[in-house]
Amino acid sequence: MTSICARQDHKSLYRQLVAGMYDALLVTDPNGHLIELNPRATEYFLYKPEDVWDKPVATLIPGVSAQMVGRIRKGLDDARHIMLDAKCQRKDGSSFAAEVTISVIDLINAGDLVFTVRNTERRRKQWQALRSKANAFDCAQSACFVCDNGRAFRAVNRAFLTMFNLADEEAVLGHLFEEVMPDDPLPNLFDRALAGEQVAYRIGAHTDTDEVTEVEVEMAPDRHGKEKVLGVVGSLLQV
């Protein structure tokens, strides 16, 4: 009786564990045929567990054929798990990028396979957005910069290097704001931006030919959320 109760307790604990997992969980028999999906897998793939019962895992992860399942099983003999990048298929025909970790579990059969699927679509889109912003920053006509809250430069674009006649980023990164822009009222504008204010100002400046021109300066706090200020971002544009 104790042994039966223990098995039931273990099964209940397993159900609670897989139901609460952040990642999608696909369990297959040793031949790669689906025998269980957790709730996250239903959310990711739009299939109910009964819709894919005993279907090959390739239904959800195209490319993971019976032959590949065989190779995976051989590979698992020498490793605790195998990881691969995959393009997963939803019921409605759409797909998403994922990281898949494969391991062995003795669930219904000895040697059942567990496919843990983490959707990386959002991460990739965020990375692409960040890369696009970085490209826009670097290609901007304004001389743009980012300083941390210790007043040191963290990033500058090509227009900034040109405006200040700097050979490369290494000539300015890590240096303090006042080392590059010591003239009033620039340090004061920096202080105001660091305190949370968005500021704009026009100053007179001398060109390489000793002509006087105007430069439009804008600075704003570099915020994390609504409260925390990480530093200052700014731009300078000759007008």
Side-chain angles (χ1 to χ4, degrees):
M1 180 66 70
T2 303
S3 176
I4 294 173
C5 290
R7 286 200 297 270
Q8 289 175 338
D9 288 343
H10 288 161
K11 189 173 183 179
S12 175
L13 182 62
Y14 165 77
R15 298 293 179 199
Q16 293 177 50
L17 177 65
V18 299
M21 286 184 66
Y22 173 80
D23 296 321
L25 194 75
L26 313 175
V27 183
T28 77
D29 65 19
N31 297 316
H33 288 245
L34 292 157
I35 56 177
E36 186 163 359
L37 277 67
N38 73 342
R40 181 68 79 171
T42 298
E43 178 186 327
Y44 277 8
F45 292 94
L46 308 178
Y47 282 104
K48 295 178 181 178
E50 57 268 27
D51 294 335
V52 291
W53 171 261
D54 204 31
K55 290 188 176 180
V57 69
T59 305
L60 307 184
I61 312 176
V64 183
S65 62
Q67 292 80 4
M68 186 173 181
V69 168
R71 291 197 297 271
I72 288 170
R73 293 194 59 77
K74 289 181 180 178
L76 286 171
D77 291 339
D78 301 319
R80 296 183 62 183
H81 62 266
I82 291 174
M83 294 186 68
L84 55 90
D85 291 323
K87 201 75 172 178
C88 296
Q89 190 80 25
R90 296 188 181 97
K91 184 178 182 180
D92 64 3
S94 62
S95 60
F96 63 92
E99 290 176 349
V100 180
T101 304
I102 308 164
S103 54
V104 177
I105 185 173
D106 292 335
L107 183 61
I108 296 176
N109 314 285
D112 286 341
L113 297 174
V114 177
F115 293 75
T116 305
V117 181
R118 174 159 295 185
N119 189 331
T120 59
E121 201 72 22
R122 183 180 176 186
R123 186 199 308 169
R124 293 190 183 197
K125 287 180 179 178
Q126 288 175 332
W127 172 247
Q128 288 171 354
L130 286 172
R131 187 167 56 185
S132 296
K133 288 178 181 179
N135 288 338
F137 173 82
D138 201 41
C139 294
Q141 292 184 347
S142 299
C144 302
F145 66 88
V146 181
C147 289
D148 61 25
N149 55 16
R151 312 179 79 86
F153 284 97
R154 289 196 295 116
V156 296
N157 68 350
R158 284 180 289 179
F160 187 97
L161 299 177
T162 300
M163 177 175 281
F164 289 91
N165 198 26
L166 298 168
D168 52 38
E169 289 183 333
E170 299 305 317
V172 66
L173 297 186
H175 292 263
L176 297 180
F177 179 84
E178 287 82 358
E179 293 180 46
V180 180
M181 290 181 269
D183 298 330
D184 291 332
L186 295 176
N188 178 258
L189 295 177
F190 187 98
D191 290 337
R192 288 166 59 186
L194 194 58
E197 186 180 349
Q198 186 163 345
V199 295
Y201 200 85
R202 282 197 177 192
I203 61 173
H206 290 276
T207 66
D208 292 339
T209 58
D210 214 27
E211 296 178 356
V212 177
T213 187
E214 281 193 327
V215 175
E216 189 174 86
V217 181
E218 294 188 13
M219 298 188 207
D222 182 12
R223 293 185 182 276
H224 178 68
K226 293 183 178 180
E227 301 298 329
K228 189 174 183 180
V229 176
L230 302 179
V232 171
V233 295
S235 66
L236 304 95
L237 180 64
Q238 186 174 318
V239 293

